[in-house]
Structures are given as structure tokens and as C-alpha cells.
Amino acid sequence: MTLVKPHGGTLVNGYAGHNASELKTIAAVHSKTVTLTRKQLCDVEMILNGAFSPLTTFMNEADYTSVLHDMRLSDGTVWPMPICLDVSEEFAASIEMGERIALRDHEGLLIGLLQVDEKFKADKAREAELVFGTTSTAHPAVAAMQEEGAVYLSGELLGVDAPAHYDFAHIRRTPAEVRAEFEEKGWSDVVAFQTRNPMHRAHFELTKRAMEEDGLNLLVHPVVGVTKPGDIDYFTRTRCYEHVMENYPEGEAMLSLLPLAMRMGGPREALWHAIIRKNYGCNHFIVGRDHAGPGKDENGQDFYGPYDAQDLVREYAEEIGVTMVPFQEMLYVPSEHAYIPRDEVGERESENISGTAFRKMLAEGAHVPEWFSFPEVLKELRKTMKPLHERGFTVFFTGLSGSGKSTVANALLNKFMEMGGRSVTLLDGDIVRTHLSSELGFSKEHREINITRIGFVASEITKAGGIALCAPIAPYASTRATVRDMISSVGGFLEVHISTPLEVCEQRDRKGLYAKARAGIIKNFTGISDPYEAPKNPELAIDTSGLQPDEAADKIIAELKCMGYILGGEGAECSPEEQASQQA
């Protein structure tokens, strides 16, 4: 028997048939440059190495429209996900038809050249509704679309250098390399397992059962490109996968990393994943409940039904030549000392640990039963997912000038220094303006740059396990949200709105800034001639009108104890909502 053929019949090789050196010369002298985003870089890599076969380039308008409405390319080939190169309207307007543009990574490495034969305006609302079934920005792909360029480019794409990867080189294989290894091993019936999370014993038993029941070999094929915000970093996950692989029968399973930018698109994404694995030589694909679902919308409703993905892949399975293997929920049955599919458990007592409960165990440093995971996997996860009281965090103050931000931040700094045990850094507004943003003015653009810089520095401090205290005015909600996302991905984040009223702030005006602003001497002054967008849902709101700085600092410490970032003392009583938020 032979391996399943690539989708469309031929495995694309975007590096063949042209001289890379000549293309580099053309790009250096004549070409405008697009610096690829992480998503675009993943897409280019997957087009050029054949993982997106039969695509040879980014979609033109005919293919894009056909995929949106019919889940097929314009020639009728099944393809459910639009793959488009987005650029700004300004950049698109600067390009002539037939012009070649250089596609580079963030370090300037030339990945490929695109000869622009077509440019068309994206209809983001229609795309979101047809592909993801929603226009809600609670869906990560829809939210990301709002930040992407409004024009799509297409044309001949020629590969120059593959994106540079300096990690896990021994398990980064192209579709051609995976296929060659399958053939060398004599494998022809292979099931792929898709994951963006660590694997535990239930996943191992599930995949092993699929192998045994259908006589299949296994490709563990985790995504290491772009996944869902908040996912465990792929470095940690990959070390976990390598430990799990040691438990499969020798020579029957293989691990390879997939540089895919996921869209979290539910049913369409599942079908897309199946096609991609077909290009890697797999003719079976495991599809789970709510496969690639992004979670819940703003109303607490799931974006997709639990079996929508399985139903769609099953519908197209024969046409694409990939058998859908349904993911069976595996439960641990103590009396059998084994994992058994839920529908076979019957009346026997069973155990399971939800993802939320498992994260809570790690956050609290609690014992995890051996039946749940492998010791080596838990060891790797504990290296990264330390208990909350060992993780770094940021306290981000925001409020009007004179509200008491700096004073409270200094009081908090001293209390942390008194406690000891962690490095603490104060990023006060005036200090940052002097040492980090001295060239910036006070326009909206410059204020946003200043706050983003503060957020970046705080995220690095937090990631390293330290405490960052940030005390800028930070008047704009969108910029504060950006900072929150930046820091929350690496540690704890506590937003403290110093909500002291404007009239009190003016009374405290030691520098006479409000008076000068009222007189028109100082322009764009927050609270007078420039807006202050008060936080709607800060972790804490503190009015310092009748509160001493150390009392305000004590409130913050109590909240941090409630959140779990500080041990000791009685702390504050957490509401059920706060507890659930911390566990998640």
C-alpha cells in the first residue's frame, strides 16, 4: 500500500524552479517590503512547503469568494479556510500591478517574493460571518481581523529562504520529510492527532486505542505557530510531548511540529486540519468535541456545537480521502486502573479532572493524581506554571494627575520591600518620561506609545518573576487593554483605578498644572482639555480623598492575597467570580 496522495494530487514545492540568489538581488534593489506578522509568516511557510497544497500562493478574489460561500476553491477543490495576505490600503495603493514585493520576517530575512497580479478589498464582516459564523469580537479570529489590513494581495509567490527556526530542529519536518519518513518506516495508514495543549494520560490512552483498534500508526502533530491567547507556550508543551512519546510502542508513533497559525474556527478549522494532515501523508484524523473552538461568546454561549466539527469532517471524509476518527472522552475507572471511553463506563465509578481544576492545582502547588498525567509532564508544567505566589505580577495604576497614584505606588513599593523575597520595580510616570520616553510629547499617539513602552518593560519584569508597579495617567482604555493583554500572558495583572475626583486633584495641584491647563497654557491636559476614559472593570478602585497612602497600599495587598499572588495574612475575601477568574 502507498501513502494517501496530497490534496489536489501534487505536493507543492514553492522553492523549486527558480534561482534564490537572483530573487535576493531583485528584492534588495527593486522591491517594496512587507514585514510579515506571525500569522502571515506561518501561512507563507505552509504554502511554500506544501502543507497548504494545492495552494501555491495567497488566494485571489475568485478563490477567496468561493471558499467563503462554498468551502471550495474556484476549481471545485474542497478548501474551507481563506488564506490571504492582508496589507494596509496605503501600502496597496503604492503598488503597481506586476510589481514584485519582498516578504520578510521581523529580522529582515527574505522569505519570498510576491508578484502582485491582484489586489482586492476585504469584506471583514462578511468573511467573519461566513467563515466563523459570527461577527463577535469575543471570537479571537474576528478580533484579530479588526487589526489586519483592509486589502488582500495575490499573485505568483516564489520562495527564497524558509523561516528560521532555532528550536527543536530534530522534530521540525516539512510534509515531504514526514512522507519520506513514513515510507522509510513502511507506514501507509497513519492517524494524526492535533493538539495545542499538553498531553496527559487520557490523550495518550485515546491515541493508543485509535492505533490498536484500526491498526494505525500515529503522528502526534501539535501546533507551534499561532494558537489561542493564553495557551501554554509551545516550548513547554513540546518538552511534554517528547516525554509522552516514550510511552508508545517503539517504532509505531512519531512526533513532528506544525508551524500553523490557528484561527480557532471550529468545524471549518477541523476540516482544514484534516486536509493539512493529508498533505503530510495521514489518511486518518482524530477530531474532538468542539474541535478548535474558541470557547464562549460575550453571552456565555459556545460559538459552536460540541459535535459540529465531527459532523463536517465526516461529511467531506470520502471526498478528501481522510477518515474521521471521533475523539472519545476517556474517564479513569479506579476499579480497572484504566482509562475507558465514557460510553463504555456504565455504572462503574469514574474520575476526571477538568482543565480548570487542573490549572487550579498547578496554581496552588497542589498534588495531582498519578492517574491523571505522567510524572515527567507534570514536572515540565510545574517549571513553567508555578504556583501563583511564585509568579511575577504587575500592579498597574491609572488615574488623573494628582489623584495619588505615585504616592500610593511608593507606599506599596516600601511594603513589598519590607516583605522581601522578590525584586520590585517602580515605573512611575515622571520616571519613565525621563528615562524611557524623553523624546515623546503629549499627543494621543505619543501617550499611547509611552504607555505601551511601560507595558512592555512591565511584562519583561513580570515574566522574570518580579513585581512591576506602574503609575502613569494612562488615560485611554484601548491602550490599557493592550497592556493588560501583554502582561496577562506572562503573569499576574492588577489594575488599580485611583478614582480621586477631579476637584480634589486640582486642590492638591503642587505643580500648578491644572491652573495652567485652565488658563490654556498647557494643551491636551488630561481631565481638562483631553479626555480621561475611566476603567469600567478594574480589579480595584480606590478614592484617596479620605484615605492614607499606607491604607490604600494595604487594600492592594489584601486583593493580591485574595488573588493568590501573595501568601500570608487573612487577606481579602474573594467573591465566587474572583475565585473562578483566578482558577481559569
Side-chain angles (χ1 to χ4, degrees), residues 200-201 332 339 353 367-375 378:
H200 300 294
R201 289 189 185 271
Y332 181 70
Y339 274 89
I353 297 176
H367 171 71
V368 177
E370 289 187 4
W371 58 260
F372 179 77
S373 192
F374 298 96
L378 291 176

Side-chain angles (χ1 to χ4, degrees), residues 321-508:
V322 177
T323 300
M324 194 278 292
V325 179
F327 187 113
Q328 304 175 69
E329 185 180 7
M330 306 291 284
L331 301 178
Y332 181 70
V333 179
S335 62
E336 304 290 332
H337 300 290
Y339 274 89
I340 297 175
R342 176 181 286 276
D343 58 6
E344 297 178 18
V345 170
E347 299 298 319
R348 288 172 290 186
E349 181 181 344
S350 63
E351 296 186 52
N352 192 22
I353 297 176
S354 69
T356 298
F358 176 60
R359 288 190 294 272
K360 183 175 185 290
M361 288 176 172
L362 292 178
E364 295 177 349
H367 171 71
V368 177
E370 289 187 4
W371 58 260
F372 179 77
S373 192
F374 298 96
E376 299 85 357
V377 170
L378 291 176
K379 184 177 179 180
E380 292 293 347
L381 292 175
R382 290 194 189 280
K383 289 179 186 177
T384 302
M385 301 179 68
K386 297 181 182 295
L388 291 178
H389 66 273
E390 295 181 11
R391 299 183 198 176
F393 61 86
T394 291
V395 179
F396 191 91
F397 294 88
T398 176
L400 296 168
S401 177
S403 60
K405 301 182 304 299
S406 297
T407 305
V408 175
N410 272 290
L412 187 61
L413 170 68
N414 282 275
K415 287 181 179 288
F416 283 143
M417 297 297 286
E418 181 182 355
M419 292 178 190
R422 297 191 196 184
S423 63
V424 190
T425 303
L426 174 61
L427 299 172
D428 182 68
D430 290 339
I431 295 172
V432 170
R433 281 282 179 178
T434 300
H435 297 288
L436 192 63
S437 300
S438 59
E439 85 286 7
L440 298 181
F442 290 90
S443 66
K444 186 176 190 296
E445 179 185 6
H446 279 196
R447 291 182 184 197
E448 290 178 331
I449 292 172
N450 181 53
I451 300 306
T452 303
R453 287 179 182 177
I454 291 173
F456 171 75
V457 174
S459 71
E460 292 297 302
I461 294 168
T462 299
K463 183 165 61 176
I467 299 173
L469 308 179
C470 307
I473 293 174
Y476 307 120
S478 61
T479 317
R480 295 195 301 266
T482 298
V483 170
R484 177 185 286 273
D485 291 343
M486 194 185 305
I487 296 170
S488 296
S489 65
V490 296
F493 186 86
L494 175 72
E495 183 178 47
V496 180
H497 178 206
I498 303 299
S499 57
T500 311
L502 175 62
E503 55 270 21
V504 176
C505 295
E506 288 200 68
Q507 291 169 10
R508 295 175 176 174

Side-chain angles (χ1 to χ4, degrees), residues 40-57:
Q40 292 170 338
L41 187 62
C42 290
D43 286 351
V44 170
E45 180 172 5
M46 300 284 277
I47 291 171
L48 294 175
N49 71 16
F52 283 176
S53 296
L55 301 188
T56 59
T57 185

